Amino acid sequence: MDVKKLLERAQKPSLIAPQLHKFYEGKLQVMPKVPVRTLDDFSIWYTPGVAAACRKIQENPDLYSFEYTNRWNYVAVVSDGTRVLGLGDIGPSAAMPVMEGKALLFKYLGGVDAFPLCVNTKDPDKLIEFLQLIEPSFGGINLEDIEKPKCFYVLEKAREKLNIPVWHDDQQGTATVVLAAVINALKLVGKKLSEVKIAMIGAGAANIKTADVLELAGAKPGNIILVDSKGILNQSRKDILEKENDPWKWKWALKSNAEGLSGGIPEALKGADVCIAMSRPGPGVIKKEWIRGMANDAIVLACANPIPEIWPWEAKEAGARIVGTGRSDFPNQVNNSLGFPAIFRGVLDVKARTVTDEMCVAAAHALASYAERKGLHEDYILPTMEDWEVYVEEAVACALKSIEQGVARVKLSRNELWERASRIISEARRSLEALWKAGLIRPPPSEEELLSMKPF
């Protein structure tokens, strides 16, 4: 394996991205979905005809605002820019390219009309108030790149106060896809989720919520070992409450690690069946000798970007049987984009009042089942973003779970949900293709031209 070539490949998108972002001046635009045959049509879409639609909504805002406007398909992608990708607290303006990218994925993969909203406040209560203020315009809220532990507080309070789904992708999205990967990897090695020891490297928003979802899916909390930058979580870690003021992490310090282990990553990995790493970029964060100490047929998901905590080939050489990363150039990419577009498609299609962790589990099982039908092997435990049909399956699973949990405003049959999600998602992809073929999206400069341009 040529590490130099891998690093060059990993760095290339960062070299090209600034030029392409400037060339296109952003990634999104607003396009009409109604015909304008003559200017007379505006008497329907705007004044005077629009007043009749307004009066109808006034009669019952909770119902008719979803039927007479596009609110049913609008999602706000909201960030304060305090924890953007691996960049940290770069502020709301600098976070905008990421939120635009998220909105692009929403549309292309889920047919969801998403709007990036980067908010100029770090105050969690002001952020919650902002979400309440914009609620009448949206069918759902996707929180993104908010530092911990604030992200836990904002998610919990917003879900209490708003009557639409509120989701934090760094928590619930990551947890959904990781659970799907674990389900299928365990099938291949012949182990049960309820019995395996799981070492989780990193105790940030992603792994804390992943632990929640793993427990909901059947993992035993005592079999989960979480490690943060100061060591293994256990009941003696008073610093979690006293210094970090993180009751969400403290909850796991109390109920995980039934053996009462202390130490760091090597101690957590000893005898573990599964390693889920969501910590800091490697390589070298996890060492080969620590992988050797894991159980037979070990599963390693090293998800730091752009470089995983341990290179996949190193983990394999050390004895891991199944390895996944966050990168697309290695097998088994653990990618949030497999989750959030479809989950929102599902909850939007039934006009749900919330999104729950049970829906994450339902989506994870849909992901896992799709990959299993295609044929599981050690280098294929998850679908890829090219498997567009999986988004329909996930959407239907989440919609049905919404109905089952009594949070759906409308109830549709499985067939109705399938036809609706399939139509909306395929139309989104075809629309982009049509714009490209018609020349309404400009062809970009060649890669050679982009790489030869001076950096900004």
Side-chain angles (χ1 to χ4, degrees), residues 19 24-25 69 121 130 214 217 266 271 292 300 306 313 336 339 399 423:
Q19 284 85 354
Y24 284 108
E25 297 181 289
T69 75
T121 181
F130 173 77
L214 285 168
R292 290 192 189 100
V300 176
W313 64 88
N336 283 21
R423 173 180 58 80

Side-chain angles (χ1 to χ4, degrees), residues 15-26:
L15 298 173
I16 292 174
Q19 284 85 354
L20 277 179
H21 278 72
K22 185 174 183 180
F23 180 80
Y24 284 108
E25 297 181 289

Side-chain angles (χ1 to χ4, degrees), residues 170 174 200-212 226 276-278:
D170 299 317
T174 302
M200 307 188 72
I201 313 306
N207 260 354
I208 292 294
K209 178 52 72 175
T210 297
D212 290 342
L226 288 120
I276 300 170
M278 303 270 181

Side-chain angles (χ1 to χ4, degrees), residues 34 94 319 345 435:
V34 297
R345 176 74 279 132
L435 289 170

Side-chain angles (χ1 to χ4, degrees), residues 108-125:
Y108 187 72
L109 298 175
V112 175
D113 296 310
F115 292 82
L117 299 176
C118 294
V119 185
N120 195 20
T121 181
K122 293 184 179 182
D123 184 321
D125 292 309

Side-chain angles (χ1 to χ4, degrees), residues 69-90:
T69 75
N70 206 56
R71 182 187 178 189
W72 65 271
N73 203 43
Y74 283 155
V75 165
V77 181
V78 179
S79 180
D80 63 357
T82 52
R83 197 184 184 283
V84 180
L85 298 178
L87 303 173
D89 185 357
I90 60 174

